[in-house]
Amino acid sequence: MEILDTNSRRNMSPPPPTTTTTEALTDFPAAQNGNDHNYDNQNDDPPSLCIPISNASHEFIEIFPEEISSIPSAQLSETLLEEKAPISLWNTAAMLYMTYKKERESTHLLSTACTELLSKQHLGSKEERTRILAAAGIAYLTQANKAGIGIAVDSESGMAAALSSSTFGSSGGTLPGGMGQEDKTARQREASEYNSELRDLADKHFTRASKLNPLFPMTWIGRALLNLSQERTENAKFFFETTLKHCGMVLPALLGMACVYFKIEDYESSLEMYAKAIQLYPNKAGASARVGLGLACYKLGQIDRAKRAFQRAHEMDAENVEAMVGIAVLEVRNLDEKYSKDYKKTAENAMRLISMANLIDHENAMVQNHLANYYFNKWTPVTGVTVKVEKGSTTIVGSGPINLDVGDRIRIGYEFETTIVEDEEEEEEEDDDDAMQEEHGGNNKTFKMKDSWKGESTDGLKLWKKDYDRVIALAKGAFSSTTVPGIQAESLYTLARVHHIRDEMEKANTCYERAIKLAPDLTPARFGLAQTLIWDETYDEAAGHLRLVVGKSPSATDAHATLGLLEAKSGKDRKAAFSYIKKAIDLEPANADLVLLEALALQQQESDYQQALERYHKALELMDSQGNSPSWIILTNMGVLCHETKKYDEAAVCYEKAMKALESDDNSARSHKEYAEQVMIRQKENHLFWDYVDSGVKCSQDMSDDSNQTWNLESDCSEIKAGDHVRVGNVFESEVIDIDGTTLKLKDGYAPLSTDEESNDKSPMILFYKRTNKSLSTFSAISIAFNVARLHEATGKTVAAIELHKAIVKRHPSYVNSYLRLACIARDCGSLANCSEWLKSACAVAPGNPEVLTLVGNLHLSLCDWKPAQSVFNQLLEQKIPNVEAYSMLCLGNIYFNNLKTPGKYAKHLQYAADFYRRILNKDNANAYAANGIGTVLAEKADLTRAKEIFNHVREVSGDSIPDALLNLGHIYLALSKHPEALQMYQSYMERTRSSDAPTSSKSKDEDEAEILLYIAFAYFDWARQTEACNNAKAAPADGRYKHCIEYLEKALKTTRRENLILRYNWCMAKLAAANCVLQKLTRGIRRTAKEVQDALNGLQESLPKVQTMLQWKQEGKKVPVSTSLMNNFIVQCKANIESAKSHLSEEIRKETEARELRELQRMEILAKQKEKELAELEARRKEAEEQEEIERKARMKMEKVTSLLDTWEQEAVKAKEESEKKKNKKNKMSEAPQAEDENDEVVDPNKDLFDDSSDEEDGVPDDRNNDAVNKSAPSSDFPEATVKHTESDLFGESDDDDDDDEDNNVKVSAGGTTENKSNENNRQDEEMEEAKASSSAPSGKDLFGESSSDEESAPPPENKRGRDDTQEEKGMAPPKKRRLEDDDSS
C-alpha cells in the first residue's frame, strides 16, 4: 500500500505577547499605595518637539510628531548639540522616534547623547544621566528584538512568536535553493554577531546606569528585558517584581510580568497582569497590551473574549499586524467548509486581513507563513484556456499554451485532481529545439496526467492549479525574515510539503529534518519526515520518529497506523505493531483504509495470512456500506492470500474481480485485432484474457458428413485459420482442423442434445472465433496475469501457465519474472535445456538483473557445476546490492563447503566457507542462514556442542522456517548417539519440506526426500548396532530397529527416480545385519521364532545376488560407488550366514514343533479341568435354586396361615359382639327397674390390641400398682377380658431348619389381656364368663407377633413355656415369653 502525503490544512495562529519598551523612555509616575487609580492621564497624540534656540530667549524650533519620521537622527542630533539642548529633550526626541517605529534613529540619538553629553561634556544631573543611559540600553535591546531575537514559539498550537521582523538573515540554518551556501552562512553569521553586539551594548549602558544609581527603576526594567530576551525568565521576573514593589504599578513592569507569566505558561496570572495594565493605563497600554490579553484568553479557552481583545487592538492601531492576524485566525478557527453557511465570506475576510498585514509589514515572518499555508491549499484558476480530455486517457489537451511543470498539482473541473507527470514517449520524439522551447515555457498544449480520466470525453473544461511557486517564495521570505526557531520551522515545514507533493523526496526530507531540529514538538513535520524515510526505506529511523509523533499526538490515526505497519514489517515486536493499528482503528472504526493497513501488516508473515484475508473481507464490507468499490490492487492482494492459503477457487474469483475492476478504471475500448497476431491465448483456464469475436458469418452443418465435423459457411472468412478455436452458436466449441473456402472442418463432431433449442432449429448459426483481448495492454494487468499463471502452476495446470507466461513476455519482453517462471517450470519438468534457454533470454533482457543471475547460479548448483556457479555469484557479489550480496556470499560459502573433499584443499575450503559466513554475520548478525553455515563449519571441526547451540538458536530465531537447521541438528544428535532426538529432527525436517512448495536443496524434491529417508534409516541402523553392543538380553530391541531401517530404505528406493546403488547396497547391508542379529539371539538369551529366522534367511538370499551383480558391474568397469573389498566381504559373510541360518531354522522348527505339541497337551488338560469346574458350578447352582425354592414355598405357606387366622379371628370377634348385644338387650328386658348404663361399659374392639404399639414395659411388667392404676382410670367393659396364651407353633408351626437362626432372634410376645371388672360379680358372672370365652379366641396384635421392648434389660425374665405363674393368673396378666419359630412339620 502506498503511503501518501497528508497535507491537512493548519489553522493560522496569532503571536504570543511581548513587552513594549518605548514606554520605558519616559518618566515613571510616582509610586502610590492604591492600585485602582488611573495613571493614564496623557493625551493620545504625542506633543511636538520644541528645541530652544540658545541665542534667543523666546525662540525655539518646533518639530511636529508627524515630521519626526522624515528627519534623520544625525541631523537632529547635530541640531540638539548646536542649540545645547538639555538631556531631557534628547529623551523626548528619542521617544518620538520610537513612537513612529524608528528604532535605529532612536538608538543613534541616545547613543550620541551618551557619548557627547555624558562622556565628553559631563552634562546633566545624576538622575538625568542615569535615565538617558537606561533609555539607551533599552533602545539597543529594542533594536535587537526587532532584528529577530524574540520570544520562542508554541509550535504545537501553531502560535507564531515574533512581534516584528527585520531584514537581517536567520541564524537557524539555510534554505535549499536561492543563494549559495557560503553567502547565506556569512549573512547568518553577520546577523548573529550584530544581534550579540546590540545586546552587549545594552548591557554596558545598564551597567553604567547602575553604577550611577543602583536603585533607578528604568535600569531594573532594562535588566529585566535583557534577561527576558535571553530566556532567563527567573531573573527577568525578579527585576520586574522589584520594580513593582518599589515603584508601584508602572506600565512596563506590568507588561513585563504579564509576558513572564505567559512564558512560563501561567496564563491566568498573565491575563490578570494584562488586565491590570489596561485598567490603569487604558491609552498608554496601547494595542500591544490588548494583543497580549487576547493571547492569554486564547490559551485559557476564552475565545470570544480573545476575539474582542484583538478587535479592540485593531481599532486602537489599524496597522497592528499581530491584532490583524489574531482576528483572522479566530474567525476561521471553527469554520467548516461543508456546514458553515458563511464559510466563503468569512474566509475571504480573514485572508483580506492577512493580506493587509503583509502589505503593512511585508517582512513579517508570521504573516508570510500564514499566506504560504493559504496558497498551499488554494486552487488558482488558469485563465484564458480550457482543456479537453478523453475517457480512459491520461492526456490533456489545452485550447492554448499552458504554463505547467512536471509535478504541478492540477484540477480539471471541480472534482478531478491529479498531477502532471513526465511523458517519456513524447520526450523521445521531440528534438532539442522543442525541448528547449518547453523548458523556457513555450507553447505547450499537451500534458500527461498521473491518473486517467474516468468520466466521459469532454471539451471546454476549466483548469485549476496550485501556485506552489508563490508558496515557496513566501515560505523562504518568512524563513529569512526571522531568527525565531519556531517560525523558521513553520516555514521549512511548508517548503517540505511542497517538495513532498511534487515527489521531490530528497528535498522534502532535508526540509523536514531541519524543521524538527528547530522545533522538536512540530509533529506534522516529524510525520512528514517519517514518510520520506519510508520512501528511502530507512524503516527503523522512520519508526523512531513515528513513536515520537504518537507520544505527542495520541489521536493521530495515520501515525499509529503507519507505525504499526512498520513494526509488523520489521517483525521485531508484532504485538506492539498491531496494538498501534488497533488504536488507529478504534479512533476511526469506519475507516476502511485503516483496516486495509492492518491486513497489509498481517500479510507480512505467513502465519497470519488467514487473519489478513479476514481483515480484507472486513474492509470490503466497510467500503460496500459506504458505496465505494475496491481497487484492483486490493482484490489482487486477496487473490494472492487465497493462493498462499490453498484456497485456489477463491483466488481465481478474486483475480477475475481484479481484472473487472481494472477494466472499469481503464475504460478504453478493447481491440482484438491489435494483439491477435503477436499474442495467442487459447486455453480455457485463461478465459480472462480472450474473447469470442463475432465473425459476421453464419454456418450450417453439412448433413452428408456422418462425423458431424464439417460445416458450410455462407461466405468466406479470412480471419479464421487452421488451429483457431471457434464457437458455433452459443453451445458448441471446437478447434479448426482445416478451412477451404466456405468449408470448415472442426476437430470435434457436433451432437446436439434434444433439449437444445438450436438442435431443433436447422437455420444457420453465427460463427465466433477466439482472440486475445486487450487486457494485457496495461502493465497493471500484467501483475494480475502473472498471479493467475502462478495459480495455474499451483493447481497443476502447467500448459495454461506456460501459455500465459509466454503471452506476458510476448507483450512485455522486459517482464523478467515470467522468464524466470518458465525456466523454473522447465527445470521442474526435467527439461534443463529449455530452462537454460529461458534463462539466456532473461539475461539478454536484463543482463545485470540479480534475480536472473541468482537463478542461473542455482541452476549450476543443481547440476553441481561449481565453477560456473562460483563465477555467477562472484558477479553478483560485485554489484554490492545488500540482500543479493548476502545471498551471494552464502552461496559461495556453500560451494566451498560442498567441495571439502577436493584433494589437498580441505582446510582451505573450510576456512573460506567460514570466512564468507562470518562476513555475512558482520553486516547482519540476525542472518539465520549464515549462522546455520557457521554451525556446519563447527560440526565439521567436531565442535558438536557449540554447533548444537547455534542450530538451536537458528531454530528459535527463524521459527523453524530454515529446515536445514533441523537436518543439521539431526546429524549432531546422531553423532552424539542421541538417536530418538535425531529421528525427531529428521522427521520434522521431512514434514517441513513436504509442506513447502520450494525445493529444499539443489536437487529435486524426490531426491531430497530419498536422502532424508536414508538419514533416518542410518539412524535406526546405528541405534540397532549400539543396542547390539550389550550382547545380552538388553539387545532385544535391535531387531525391531533393523526392521525400521529396512522399511525406510525401501521407501527411499521407491521415492528416487533413478537407480541408486548406494541405497541398494545399504539395503543389503541392513538385511545382513538384521539376519546376524536374529541368529545371535540364541546366545544372548533372547527368544526368537522360526518365522524370524526364515525372514532373515530370505533377506540374505535376496541381498546376496544383488551384491554379486554389483560386484560384476564393478569388475566390468561400470561406475559403482562401493569398493570391491566391501562387496567381497559382504558376499563371504552373507554366504556364511545363509548356511548358519539354515541350521538355525531347522532347529527352531524342531523346537517350535515340540513346543506346539506340549502346548496342545497342556491346552487339553486345562480344558478338561475347566469342564469339571463348570459341571461342579452347575450342580451347586441347581441345589441352591432348589433350596431357595423350598424356602419361598414355606414362606408362602406361613403367610397363607397368618391370613387364614386373621380372617377367623375377625369373624369370631364380629360373632361375639353380636351375641353380647343380644344378651344385653335380653337382660334389660328382664330387669325389674331400668338402670343407668355404666359409663365404663363399652364395646370391646376385638382388633383394638392387635396392632398396639405400647411398649413391653407398660404391658409386660407385673406391677400391681400399675395394674390398679389402670383399673381405676380405664373405663369398665361390659364383659371381662380373658387372657389366652398362644405359642409360635400354634400360629406358624415349628421349623427344624430355622432353629439356629431363630435362637438368636427370639420374639418376645406379651399375652394381651385386660383386668376383670369385679364390681358386678354377683349379678352378671355368667355373662362375663361367656364374653371372656369369646374374647379369648381373638388375640390382639401382641398375641400374634409380640413386641420387643426398647429396653430388654428391664423386661421380666421369661416364664416356663408350658405353664403360667399363679400370681400373674390371679391378677389377670399373662407373663412375657420368648418364642421360637418352629417348622410346621414339627408341630
Side-chain angles (χ1 to χ4, degrees), residues 389-396 449 451-454 666 668:
V389 289
E390 295 182 358
K391 184 178 181 180
S393 175
T394 58
T395 303
I396 58 172
M449 303 180 296
D451 306 307
S452 60
W453 178 259
K454 299 181 181 180
D666 184 10
S668 57

Side-chain angles (χ1 to χ4, degrees), residues 1227 1235 1319-1328:
K1227 183 177 180 179
Q1235 297 179 356
S1319 60
N1320 298 323
E1321 293 180 356
N1322 295 326
N1323 297 328
R1324 300 186 303 185
Q1325 185 175 3
D1326 296 333
E1327 296 176 1
E1328 291 174 356

Side-chain angles (χ1 to χ4, degrees), residues 963-964 989 992-994 996 998-1005 1008-1009:
D964 290 344
Y989 174 84
R992 184 70 181 176
T993 53
R994 282 177 179 174
S996 176
T1000 56
S1001 69
S1002 59
K1003 303 175 183 178
S1004 65
K1005 285 189 175 182
D1008 284 326
E1009 186 171 352

